[in-house]
Amino acid sequence: MRTFRRRKIEERIFKVLMLASTVVVTASLLVIVGTIVVKSLPALRLSMLVQTPKGGYYLGKEGGILNAIAGSLYLASGATLLAVLLSLPVVLYLNLYTRKSSVLAMFTRFSLDVLWGIPSIVYGAFGFIVMMTLGLRASLLAGIITVGLLEIPIMARAMDEVIRLVPPALKDASDSLGATKLETALKVVVKQALPGILTAVLIAFGRGIGDAASVLFTAGFTDSLPGSLLQPAATLPLAIFFQLGTPFPEVQQRAYASAAVLTLIILVISLVSRVLIKRFTRHTIK
Amino acid sequence: MEPQPHLRIRNLSVSYGAQEVLKNVSLDVPDRKITVIIGPSGCGKTTLLKSLNRLLDSVDGVRIEGHIFIDDEDIYDPRVEATHIRKKMGLLSQKPQVLPMSVFDNIAYGPKIHGLRDRKRLRVLVERELKAAGLWDEVKDRLHEPASRLSVGQQQRLCLARGLAVEPEIILGDEPTSALDPQSSRIVEQRLIALKSEYTVIVVTHILRQARRIADHLAFLYLGELVEHGPAAEFFANPRDPRTRAYLTGEIS
Ligand SMILES: Nc1ncnc2c1ncn2[C@@H]1O[C@H](COP(=O)(O)OP(=O)(O)O)[C@@H](O)[C@H]1O
Ligand SMILES: [Mg+2]
């Protein structure tokens, strides 16, 4: 009897602890978003979204952050595209063309894990060195490549996890119809794993658009809209950083407004892709 | 003298790592008959079936020795393409495994990868296969729904139709009814019996009653060894090996 009561108390205590953790996590999300929204309200107006910084913007004069919004969208889209083009082949190769015991596969997964853990400032510094060596200057392209590299381990590892879950029997079914490995990979495995693959792309995109350290030296910054791949491009994280660094409260408020815009972009992209995922993955076998 | 059968297994041994799962199996599979492979769970039935269409190729640490001939072509000859061998065999797995696409595309998938592009001919083919499978009336209004929404019994019939759509010569079934309800099982059994007029059929089962219902020829596998095989009537009436007798009477299972 005593042990039963003890087990029941244990159960209760742990349930409360778990609930408390859940509340803490959810509440921090709300507090973060709430703070940004409240702080940004005084500065948030349409002109911020549709104008580039005018002269004296960082002193509190007229203008907006369209340069950074456009720059971030270009940069993160380009980087994510680059990361998909490299991650998907790697992951399909690891899962369909190498054996579980393959040294190459083990080493690749290990490398991806290490790359995942490397701080983004190191990617930035690396991109900077490469640029210097090649005699290039900070540009949208250099930013795309650096952020692409930053996204690859995140995307590839997330894709790897979902593709590994595709049942071997499904591959056998396609193989036994006489499909080549490539046909099985692209038409069956990718299709079955599509929800997870899209989620991986989304996570990587979120990481890419929000990262400041990797673009600091590589993409540069400019007050005009991105003109070409070879010109510098502004990004939202850096715009936030610069505005927050001024001594003027009204410019600092604009930093929070920029943060709200960045958060909103990520939110909208998550929601839209969720709808798309639903639409495109109705054939996935649960 | 009887003509040589289509499918011949010669001295086939398969091991996973250090574990030898098939030991020197030799079997002539009679053409256009149902050959049933029976044996207790874990004796190597699935392995034997998978070795026939080279699905073992992708298994980690597998070692395959011996020969399997289809029309005098050794399927384990390094010059032979696995895809070419697999196209000759339709496989029904233990649990129906539909592809993550619509009912229509499940059937069209095989013919498409083998080069049939014409949409009209694909439609004709899909309808023909679904009718042959007795599925047409049940699914004709849901051709573009995900195949995974069909009932398990319908899925297994769809898998059979999908395999037949690539015009194989041999049909392999790995306990194809074990996940099905009794009625769906009966439909699949009847389909297999109907198909033997045109195809060589090999079915694995551990259900003796099923073997009695559908088998023309039997092979008994025990601990990786092909203990005994022969025409069904003889096999059940006069088993020669004591292990076969023990299995038939249920002493080993
Ligand atoms: N991929 C594999 N790797 C290692 N061992 C395996 C593998 N597949 C099957 N086996 C082993 O081989 C033996 C025979 O398996 P299987 O051919 O599936 O038998 P059955 O279909 O008659 O139940 C079993 O002992 C099983 O554990
Ligand atoms: Mg089995």
Side-chain angles (χ1 to χ4, degrees), chain A residues 49-283:
Chain A
L49 303 180
V50 298
Q51 287 179 10
T52 52
K54 301 270 152 54
Y57 175 76
Y58 297 98
L59 303 170
K61 298 250 175 65
E62 284 298 285
I65 50 160
L66 183 62
N67 59 331
I69 296 175
S72 267
L73 285 175
Y74 287 162
L75 191 131
S77 308
T80 305
L81 185 67
L82 179 70
V84 170
L85 289 179
L86 284 165
S87 302
L88 200 56
V90 168
V91 169
L92 290 177
Y93 185 75
L94 290 186
N95 283 283
L96 286 126
Y97 290 83
T98 65
R99 296 182 178 278
K100 274 205 199 75
S101 51
S102 147
V103 177
L104 177 66
M106 251 152 49
F107 181 72
T108 310
R109 289 199 170 99
F110 174 73
S111 312
L112 288 173
D113 284 346
V114 173
L115 286 173
W116 185 320
I118 291 180
S120 59
I121 186 75
V122 178
Y123 284 92
F126 172 74
F128 186 63
I129 292 171
V130 172
M131 273 165 41
M132 295 295 277
T133 317
L134 298 178
L136 300 173
R137 51 187 205 122
S139 63
L140 180 57
L141 183 64
I144 285 178
I145 293 172
T146 311
V147 175
L149 289 177
L150 172 81
E151 287 187 18
I152 284 170
I154 300 163
M155 192 184 282
R157 265 328 226 140
M159 285 181 178
D160 191 35
E161 293 303 321
V162 293
I163 286 188
R164 258 202 252 202
L165 291 180
V166 173
L170 191 58
K171 286 178 236 171
D172 284 353
S174 169
D175 286 348
S176 39
L177 293 166
T180 60
K181 274 187 186 176
L182 186 65
E183 285 159 344
T184 299
L186 296 181
K187 297 181 183 176
V188 175
V189 174
V190 167
K191 209 160 182 188
Q192 171 67 15
L194 203 54
I197 290 175
L198 292 176
T199 307
V201 172
L202 200 67
I203 293 172
F205 181 91
R207 246 332 270 289
I209 201 170
D211 195 74
S214 58
V215 291
L216 187 56
F217 304 116
T218 55
F221 201 83
T222 166
D223 281 348
S224 45
L225 290 173
S228 81
L229 279 174
L230 298 176
Q231 283 170 6
T235 45
L236 279 167
L238 289 184
I240 297 169
F241 177 69
F242 293 144
Q243 294 173 113
L244 210 51
T246 64
F248 312 109
E250 58 270 47
V251 182
Q252 287 176 356
Q253 280 171 350
R254 289 177 183 171
Y256 288 106
S258 309
V261 171
L262 180 55
T263 313
L264 192 72
I265 290 178
I266 294 177
L267 195 71
V268 167
I269 287 176
S270 306
L271 289 176
V272 169
S273 39
R274 237 159 253 282
V275 173
L276 290 182
I277 289 174
K278 267 241 168 70
R279 164 109 24 117
F280 284 123
T281 60
R282 54 194 289 263
H283 290 300

Side-chain angles (χ1 to χ4, degrees), chain A residues 23-45:
Chain A
V23 169
V24 167
V25 169
T26 322
S28 358
L29 179 69
L30 292 180
V31 168
I32 292 173
V33 175
T35 309
I36 293 171
V37 169
V38 169
K39 285 258 191 185
S40 67
L41 276 181
L44 206 54
R45 50 182 65 90

Side-chain angles (χ1 to χ4, degrees), chain A residues 99-100 174-177 285, chain B residues 57 59-60 86 98 100 109 114:
Chain A
R99 296 182 178 278
K100 274 205 199 75
S174 169
D175 286 348
S176 39
L177 293 166
I285 302 160
Chain B
D57 289 16
V59 175
D60 251 353
R86 290 176 185 149
V98 296
Y109 177 80
H114 295 295

